[in-house]
Amino acid sequence: MSIELDNKAREILRKNDRGGYTIPTARLYPYQWNWDSAFTALGLSTFDRDRAWTELELLLEGQWANGMIPSIIFRSDDPDYFPGPSVWQTQTSATPPPLIPSTGISQPPILASVALALVESGGADDLQRSSQLIDKMLSWHRWYQTERTSAAASVVATVHPWETGRDNCPDWELGLSTMTIDPRLEPYVRKDTEHANPEQRPSKEQYDKYLSIVKYGRESGWDQRALTDTGPFLMADPGIHFILLRANRDLLKLAQRLNLSEQSAELEKYIELGVQGSDYFWNETIGAFTARNIVSGEYSNGFSNASALCFYADAGTETQRIKTIENMQRIADKVDYMMPSWDPDAEKFDPQRYWCGPIWPQMNFIISTGLDEQGHNSMAEDIRRDMALLIEKSGFYECFNPFSGEGCIGADFSWTAAIWLAWASPSHQKMAA
Ligand code: GLC
């Protein structure tokens, strides 16, 4: 069973290859996505290291002059996808325009952590390839400090739910509920609801708001400071915060291996800021790190799978970590498979709807990695075993129902195949042991 699934996972990655970069899944997501590509590179590295590095190099080709790596790189204009390059219009609005058309917002910065993992599991060639990328990765991390940090909170902010990668999580209701739909919003036709069950996708009102933010960005000439300072949506995401803190730590390790002292000093500064910023997310009522509306200071009211990433970032006090584990135990007792994207005891939980409950494989991978590193080995192993069971039961889906284990939304999904190969598969576990 496990060997068959290993083969199937490799077949999916090959099938989703578009010539040096990998799409998440055909039709629903026909471009190169930022954090998808990084996770995919980990899977590719289990059977083709050269191709894994190419994945990262092509992602960096989409980098903007200001350092931002956009959430999606549009190397073509696929009529099957909305909102595509003609909606974002980065080529005509941004100054300077990016080399390749893309969105005008970013996605969780997992890239540096993947680059370090490739170096740590590889040899001299891997170190050499990483040395070509390190300054570019650092300039992305710098962008978070210069363009996405709000004076109102001294933590990295997010200007669009899509930038968090947890697109439709109830966390974002706080910021969306206080914004208005732009009355000048052009009429549009969604494509996602043609390729996936509309019951599992965001509502029309949410979509109108998502597009109102895009309109604001476009009309500001994709001025990232303007988006952060005066845009319609401004929240802080524990997911971006913890992933960035971890990525800064990992990039520092890489800079040290490459003897780059200036870069190391800069990264040490960012790590310090990240460690200090963690408290901003601490929600005493829930006993967890949660999202916050930067404008009102209000906390979100549920434990998300991003709340569980404090271990991965090596952040939080002993008490904060104990309370986080207690929440995770409460949730584990309730569901059949871990780790749902939204708290089953919170309002708006829905086991099948996008980021309102389903389990996301790439999140499980980093949650479990963090737990394992911080000594919570049995919970880490439970999460890995659940992930393997879900894939064995339902296949390589984008996400899974935490009660029935049913696969949801996209099938033959790249990051699911990748994390199977690099982490969840019993054959990988045997090799690692
Ligand atoms: C959805 C997810 C996002 C992911 C993208 C491609 O938009 O919410 O995290 O990157 O699909 O898989």
Side-chain angles (χ1 to χ4, degrees):
M1 174 80 162
S2 150
I3 304 284
E4 264 166 48
L5 286 172
D6 293 352
N7 288 335
K8 171 79 182 155
R10 285 188 281 265
E11 188 190 307
I12 289 172
L13 294 184
R14 288 196 196 99
K15 193 177 79 178
N16 290 341
D17 186 341
R18 291 295 177 273
Y21 72 92
T22 312
I23 60 165
T25 184
R27 304 209 56 214
L28 183 59
Y29 305 126
Y31 301 109
Q32 183 174 25
W33 258 259
N34 182 331
W35 69 330
D36 294 68
S37 250
F39 284 111
T40 297
L42 271 185
L44 290 168
S45 74
T46 63
F47 63 99
D48 188 345
R49 299 192 76 82
D50 174 49
R51 179 61 186 76
W53 282 108
T54 306
E55 185 81 28
L56 303 185
E57 287 155 3
L58 263 64
L59 176 59
L60 280 159
E61 278 182 11
Q63 185 167 35
W64 286 30
N66 61 15
M68 180 181 80
I69 305 186
S71 58
I72 313 173
I73 302 176
F74 301 122
R75 284 196 171 79
S76 57
D77 189 355
D78 192 318
D80 238 8
Y81 183 80
F82 179 86
S86 62
V87 177
W88 292 88
Q89 293 175 16
T90 52
Q91 265 8 60
T92 45
S93 313
T95 343
L99 292 176
I100 311 175
S102 69
T103 63
I105 55 170
S106 198
Q107 252 195 341
I110 196 86
L111 170 63
S113 299
V114 169
L116 179 71
L118 295 192
V119 166
E120 286 184 334
S121 61
D125 277 1
D126 298 272
L127 193 61
Q128 210 281 331
R129 296 278 281 263
S130 77
S131 70
Q132 306 300 305
L133 308 186
I134 187 158
D135 285 333
K136 295 178 185 170
M137 295 191 282
L138 177 56
S139 80
W140 184 22
H141 292 196
R142 189 180 303 128
W143 171 85
Y144 278 103
Q145 304 301 329
T146 55
E147 311 268 326
R148 266 295 178 276
T149 302
S150 160
S154 353
V155 290
V156 167
T158 184
V159 299
H160 197 303
W162 292 344
E163 195 165 66
T164 70
R166 302 186 296 120
D167 300 19
N168 187 44
C169 180
D171 272 339
W172 316 129
E173 281 308 310
L174 273 183
L176 292 174
S177 63
T178 52
M179 72 167 274
T180 44
I181 295 166
D182 189 325
R184 297 168 305 125
L185 194 65
E186 300 79 6
Y188 63 93
V189 180
R190 282 169 71 170
K191 292 284 175 185
D192 59 320
T193 41
E194 284 174 23
H195 305 314
N197 180 349
E199 294 282 298
Q200 300 177 4
R201 298 287 305 177
S203 69
K204 157 99 171 94
E205 190 195 330
Q206 281 164 335
Y207 234 78
D208 283 352
K209 290 189 174 172
Y210 298 153
L211 291 171
S212 296
I213 311 174
V214 173
K215 187 172 172 69
Y216 181 95
R218 197 170 62 216
E219 289 175 356
S220 77
W222 293 111
D223 174 342
Q224 297 295 331
R225 255 306 4 137
L227 262 168
T228 307
D229 292 338
T230 51
F233 179 95
L234 192 69
M235 287 193 68
D237 170 26
I240 293 178
H241 175 78
F242 288 136
I243 289 172
L244 179 61
L245 175 51
R246 170 63 182 246
N248 277 323
R249 292 187 192 284
D250 287 344
L251 202 55
L252 174 62
K253 286 189 189 154
L254 195 58
Q256 286 167 340
R257 271 180 98 127
L258 292 163
N259 292 317
L260 302 170
S261 53
E262 229 173 87
Q263 287 89 335
S264 299
E266 184 176 347
L267 285 159
E268 275 162 10
K269 228 171 46 197
Y270 298 156
I271 293 167
E272 187 54 37
L273 287 172
V275 170
Q276 284 166 9
S278 298
D279 251 356
Y280 178 81
F281 296 89
W282 185 253
N283 177 339
E284 196 53 50
T285 317
I286 293 191
F289 296 99
T290 65
R292 274 181 91 173
N293 186 341
I294 291 185
V295 184
S296 65
E298 225 178 318
Y299 289 94
S300 177
N301 62 359
F303 190 100
S304 72
N305 50 358
S307 306
L309 287 176
C310 57
F311 304 98
Y312 179 66
D314 191 7
T317 63
E318 195 50 36
T319 316
Q320 289 170 336
R321 292 183 188 201
I322 291 170
K323 289 192 173 171
T324 301
I325 290 285
E326 284 167 4
N327 268 303
M328 291 172 79
Q329 261 148 3
R330 168 182 60 79
I331 292 171
D333 288 344
K334 193 130 199 174
V335 296
D336 293 303
Y337 302 93
M338 278 288 264
M339 162 90 226
S341 44
W342 187 240
D343 193 331
D345 287 326
E347 237 178 277
K348 299 245 157 82
F349 173 81
D350 182 337
Q352 299 263 123
R353 192 180 274 274
Y354 227 47
W355 292 101
C356 298
I359 295 164
W360 254 267
Q362 88 291 7
M363 292 294 284
N364 268 17
F365 165 56
I366 53 179
I367 292 167
S368 171
T369 301
L371 288 169
D372 199 41
E373 289 168 352
Q374 300 299 328
H376 299 284
N377 313 88
S378 73
M379 193 182 268
E381 176 52 19
D382 287 350
I383 292 178
R384 190 202 62 78
R385 198 210 41 232
D386 280 0
M387 200 62 247
L389 287 173
L390 286 167
I391 293 172
E392 282 161 6
K393 177 183 160 88
S394 302
F396 293 95
Y397 270 88
E398 175 172 1
C399 53
F400 299 85
N401 182 319
F403 292 109
S404 65
E406 197 182 324
C408 312
I409 317 186
D412 289 355
F413 217 80
S414 294
W415 63 26
T416 313
I419 66 101
W420 170 266
L421 291 170
W423 170 65
S425 162
S427 45
H428 175 78
Q429 290 300 309
K430 258 185 243 138
M431 257 168 54

